[in-house]
């Protein structure tokens, strides 16, 4: 996806910041922070909720105790002539007393909401337009808390003793504005005390988060220690089964170790095979040279004979070294191929011509059977030497007289080349191994027939690099058939290459 340069710069910056401060990437730190965050949020929410509950309960209690006083006064006003004559000293005195006790202001209005009595003595004679007063006039006792002013507003209807149950509107209303300050102050004090408790809880939470984050991460530390403790392939398998995740990491490590062990073993076997194969011609050369040295009077023909044998051993050594080099090169992958359009018929004709003298010497006929003209994308040099090796084997491991037949055919996607011979064949149990490096079927005939055991392994590797396949079919004593199948067009990805 395209990303503007600026973005890239920021993300690289972020990454390098995290790389610089390694501890920020710590799993332990992240768990610690998550516990702290969840814990602190819960503490704050809990404290706020508890305080709000407490405040509401205290306000409810204050408003209901004032309201019950107001109801008593409402009954007394309803059954007296207070509205007609507010000079009734007993009721007004009680209202003023209540106002003092509750730090409140009481107002009494008539049925038109005209203020007839005000303990603050400010608005007497004025008309009241408050919504809760109108509600009370319709017979509803109302209590509201005005958060901004810190005041509880209460309105209670007044009925004359005969009107109360008749559904008529009230004769008058008593209103109160009660200060909520004492309640709010008490809650505020509690809030300060609970803040201290919250701080204490935060300290406990910190310790808890430290312990938990250490416990959670401990199995991963165990995995690291266990992996660091491994010193050889022979060590017992690792087991850290605290979590499914640690078990999976350790299983993956054990799998990797098994694969590495197999690679290491095959490398060791390869090195020992290489040394052995390189030493064999050397040993022969040494024996030949020593023998001739010990015979100063040997005839010229003998010298020539020995020198020819030495030269053949040098050729063998050279062939092994150059085969090894090709294998190493091809191990680097498909990049080792130089793929070009190639006339496969022409390539086969040329290489059969080159093998003519060897075939003649071994009394083997080479037959080329082509069903059609085939051109394909191949590395002519490498594929040519792989096919040469197969035909050469057909000649080498044959009877006298014998034959080798190359049969070429193609469909719209692949060309198929079968190379069959009338030779000694390969036992069934050996067929799976002949493509292994340095593998030779019968060590006894291997002595008579020269070879290094690398040819088929190189041929198979070459064919796989062409995304093709090779298989063998053989009957001991009757002959062998190798079948190669290669795509006509070179496929760049590694999906169709198979054995
Ligand atoms: P080498 O250099 O020994 O020929 P290769 O890798 O080409 O090595 O072959 C491996 C072994 O497979 C040979 O040593 C031989 O025993 C057996 N082999 C290969 N091709 C044939 C064949 N056409 N007929 C019988 N045996 C064969």
């Amino acid at each position: 996806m395209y990303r503007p340069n600026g973005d890239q710069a920021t993300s690289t910056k972020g990454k390098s910041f995290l790389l610089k401060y390694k501890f920020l990437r710590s799993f332990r730190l992240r768990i610690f922070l998550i516990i702290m965050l969840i814990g602190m949020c819960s503490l704050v929410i809990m404290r706020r909720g508890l305080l709000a509950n407490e405040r509401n309960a205290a306000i409810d209690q204050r408003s209901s105790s004032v309201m019950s006083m107001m109801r008593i006064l409402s009954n007394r006003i309803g059954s007296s002539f207070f509205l007609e004559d507010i000079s009734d000293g007993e009721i007004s005195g009680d209202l003023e007393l209540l106002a003092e006790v509750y730090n409140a202001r009481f107002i009494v209005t008539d049925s038109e909401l005209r203020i007839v009595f005000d303990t603050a003595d400010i608005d007497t004679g004025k008309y009241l337009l408050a919504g809760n007063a109108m509600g009370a006039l319709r017979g509803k006792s109302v209590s509201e808390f005005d958060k901004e002013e810190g005041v509880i507003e209460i309105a209670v209807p007044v009925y004359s003793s005969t009107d109360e149950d008749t559904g008529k509107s009230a004769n008058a209303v008593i209103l109160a504005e009660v200060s909520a300050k004492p309640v709010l102050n008490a809650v505020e004090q509690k809030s300060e005390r609970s803040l201290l408790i919250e701080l204490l809880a935060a300290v406990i939470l910190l310790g808890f988060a430290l312990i938990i984050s250490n416990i959670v991460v401990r199995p991963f530390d165990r995995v690291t220690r266990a992996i660091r403790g491994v010193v050889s392939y022979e060590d017992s398998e690792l087991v850290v089964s605290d979590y499914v995740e640690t078990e999976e990491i350790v299983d993956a490590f054990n799998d990797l170790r098994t694969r590495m062990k197999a690679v290491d073993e095959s490398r060791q076997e390869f090195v020992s095979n290489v040394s052995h194969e390189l030493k064999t011609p050397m040993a022969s050369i040494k024996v030949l040279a020593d023998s001739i040295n010990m015979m100063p009077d040997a005839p010229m023909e003998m010298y020539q004979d020995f020198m020819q044998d030495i030269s053949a051993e040098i050729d063998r050594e050279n062939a092994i070294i150059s085969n090894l080099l090709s294998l190493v090169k091809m191990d680097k992958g498909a990049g080792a191929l130089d793929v070009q359009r190639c006339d496969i018929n022409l390539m086969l004709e040329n290489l059969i011509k080159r093998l003519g003298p060897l075939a003649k010497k071994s009394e083997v006929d080479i037959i080329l059977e082509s069903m059609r003209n085939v051109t394909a994308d191949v590395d002519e040099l490498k594929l040519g030497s792989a096919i040469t090796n197969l035909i050469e084997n057909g000649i080498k491991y044959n009877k006298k007289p014998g034959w080798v037949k190359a049969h070429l055919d193609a469909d719209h996607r692949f060309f198929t080349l079968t190379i069959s011979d009338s030779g000694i064949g390969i036992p069934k149990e050996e067929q799976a191994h002949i493509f292994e490096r340095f593998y030779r079927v019968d060590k006894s005939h291997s002595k008579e027939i020269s070879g290094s055991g690398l040819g088929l392994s190189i041929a198979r590797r070459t064919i796989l690099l062409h995304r093709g396949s090779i298989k063998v079919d053989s009957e001991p004593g009757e002959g062998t058939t190798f079948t190669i199948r290669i795509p006509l067009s070179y496929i760049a990805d590694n999906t169709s290459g198979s054995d």
Side-chain angles (χ1 to χ4, degrees):
M1 197 180 75
Y2 170 75
R3 270 230 211 130
N5 282 345
D7 271 16
Q8 242 161 2
T10 334
S11 82
T12 335
K13 236 187 202 174
K15 262 187 198 165
S16 63
F17 180 78
L18 283 177
L19 283 177
K20 194 170 166 194
Y21 299 101
K22 196 177 163 192
F23 73 95
L24 289 178
R25 287 182 289 131
S26 153
F27 182 44
R28 186 178 276 118
L29 177 75
R30 287 178 193 192
I31 291 197
F32 171 80
L33 290 179
I34 288 170
I35 296 175
M36 281 306 284
L37 196 76
I38 294 174
M40 285 310 290
C41 286
S42 321
L43 277 178
V44 169
I45 291 170
M46 228 158 66
R47 180 170 156 263
R48 283 181 161 232
L50 283 175
L51 285 176
N53 258 355
E54 196 133 327
R55 192 194 58 199
N56 291 345
I59 284 171
D60 281 353
Q61 200 193 4
R62 191 168 175 84
S63 76
S64 69
S65 74
V66 173
M67 198 185 258
S68 58
M69 293 290 180
M70 286 165 76
R71 283 220 176 95
I72 293 169
L73 280 167
S74 151
N75 287 340
R76 281 174 57 197
I77 293 172
S79 55
S80 71
F81 295 102
F82 180 75
L83 292 171
E84 288 85 41
D85 179 14
I86 57 155
S87 57
D88 179 347
E90 215 180 307
I91 291 175
S92 56
D94 285 352
L95 280 168
E96 263 153 18
L97 186 71
L98 270 182
E100 212 166 301
V101 170
Y102 284 104
N103 190 13
R105 176 187 176 191
F106 286 91
I107 290 170
V108 181
T109 71
D110 61 14
S111 57
E112 252 106 63
L113 293 181
R114 192 177 63 87
I115 298 171
V116 292
F117 180 77
D118 179 0
T119 54
D121 207 11
I122 304 168
D123 295 326
T124 315
K126 293 182 186 165
Y127 283 88
L128 204 68
L129 285 170
N132 50 7
M134 292 191 196
L137 212 53
R138 284 195 291 272
K140 238 168 69 186
S141 296
V142 190
S143 164
E144 266 173 17
F145 175 54
D146 183 340
K147 234 187 207 173
E148 271 169 36
E149 301 287 328
V151 161
I152 308 165
E153 291 171 353
I154 307 168
V156 171
V158 177
Y159 285 99
S160 72
S161 46
T162 46
D163 287 346
E164 193 157 358
D165 298 324
T166 57
K168 276 189 186 171
S169 64
N171 283 358
V173 171
I174 311 176
L175 292 133
E177 277 180 5
V178 188
S179 166
K181 262 197 190 118
V183 172
L184 295 178
N185 286 347
V187 173
E188 186 61 30
Q189 274 176 7
K190 272 196 178 168
S191 150
E192 276 165 19
R193 252 178 287 147
S194 70
L195 189 70
L196 274 177
I197 296 172
E198 193 175 270
L199 280 176
L200 194 75
V203 173
I204 295 170
L205 183 71
L206 191 100
F208 177 75
L210 274 175
I211 294 169
I212 294 292
S213 56
N214 267 319
I215 290 175
V216 168
V217 174
R218 207 171 287 159
F220 292 100
D221 291 340
R222 268 201 281 278
V223 171
T224 314
R225 272 200 305 278
I227 291 177
R228 289 216 169 110
V230 174
V231 285
S232 85
Y233 291 123
E234 305 317 317
D235 288 359
S236 54
E237 287 226 321
L238 299 188
V239 184
V240 180
S241 48
D242 303 57
Y243 300 141
V244 174
E245 287 80 1
T246 53
E247 209 170 270
E248 280 172 0
I249 294 173
V250 165
D251 283 352
F253 175 79
N254 286 334
D255 283 353
L256 176 70
R257 199 168 58 152
T258 313
R259 272 181 279 136
M260 297 288 286
K261 189 179 173 190
V263 170
D264 196 55
E265 277 169 3
S266 89
R267 189 168 299 156
Q268 277 176 18
E269 195 188 317
F270 182 66
V271 170
S272 88
N273 281 342
V274 168
S275 337
H276 175 76
E277 291 303 320
L278 290 178
K279 265 168 79 181
T280 316
M282 284 296 195
S284 308
I285 293 169
K286 172 95 174 112
V287 170
L288 288 165
D290 285 352
S291 333
I292 205 85
N293 271 342
M294 281 173 7
M295 291 185 286
D297 303 326
M300 193 59 182
E301 295 77 48
M302 202 174 195
Y303 265 100
Q304 276 171 344
D305 247 21
F306 273 54
M307 288 318 278
Q308 263 170 15
D309 288 348
I310 288 176
S311 167
E313 290 300 331
I314 291 172
D315 285 347
R316 198 173 147 205
E317 183 93 18
N318 267 338
I320 295 173
I321 291 171
S322 61
N323 277 342
L324 278 172
L325 285 176
S326 335
L327 262 180
V328 170
K329 261 192 210 154
M330 272 190 282
D331 276 348
K332 286 184 184 156
L337 292 186
D338 175 19
V339 176
Q340 268 163 25
R341 195 123 273 255
C342 165
D343 182 337
I344 303 294
N345 300 65
L346 189 65
M347 179 182 85
L348 286 175
E349 278 164 25
N350 285 338
L351 61 90
I352 286 173
K353 207 184 280 172
R354 254 182 276 133
L355 287 167
L358 177 71
K360 203 170 167 198
K361 204 172 132 198
S362 311
E363 292 171 39
V364 172
D365 280 338
I366 310 180
I367 307 142
L368 174 62
E369 246 178 32
S370 173
M371 307 311 286
R372 64 197 73 238
N373 282 333
V374 179
T375 48
D377 298 336
V378 295
D379 182 327
E380 190 174 352
L381 210 67
K382 292 208 170 70
L383 187 66
S385 57
I387 296 169
T388 304
N389 185 269
L390 293 175
I391 300 177
E392 222 171 37
N393 279 352
I395 300 169
K396 280 196 307 187
Y397 303 105
N398 216 320
K399 298 162 192 160
K400 276 185 187 174
W403 52 262
V404 174
K405 191 160 74 187
H407 177 93
L408 177 68
D409 201 356
D411 57 23
H412 63 291
R413 286 181 61 205
F414 294 90
F415 74 88
T416 311
L417 178 66
T418 53
I419 294 162
S420 34
D421 62 55
S422 58
I424 56 173
I426 305 164
K428 290 275 175 252
E429 64 279 9
E430 307 275 3
Q431 287 174 19
H433 301 290
I434 56 170
F435 296 103
E436 288 168 16
R437 292 168 186 193
F438 295 111
Y439 195 85
R440 305 200 73 197
V441 171
D442 181 354
K443 305 287 170 197
S444 62
H445 77 232
S446 300
K447 283 222 168 69
E448 303 142 28
I449 307 167
S450 71
S452 62
L454 288 172
L456 282 182
S457 135
I458 295 173
R460 178 175 169 273
R461 189 85 189 100
T462 308
I463 289 156
L464 290 185
L465 286 179
H466 281 85
R467 319 293 180 213
S469 63
I470 177 168
K471 67 179 183 30
V472 62
D473 196 9
S474 183
E475 211 42 68
E478 283 181 24
T480 305
T481 302
F482 284 97
T483 308
I484 302 171
R485 201 159 167 266
I486 291 180
L488 296 173
S489 307
Y490 179 69
I491 307 160
D493 76 23
N494 197 13
T495 46
S496 63
S498 59
D499 281 12

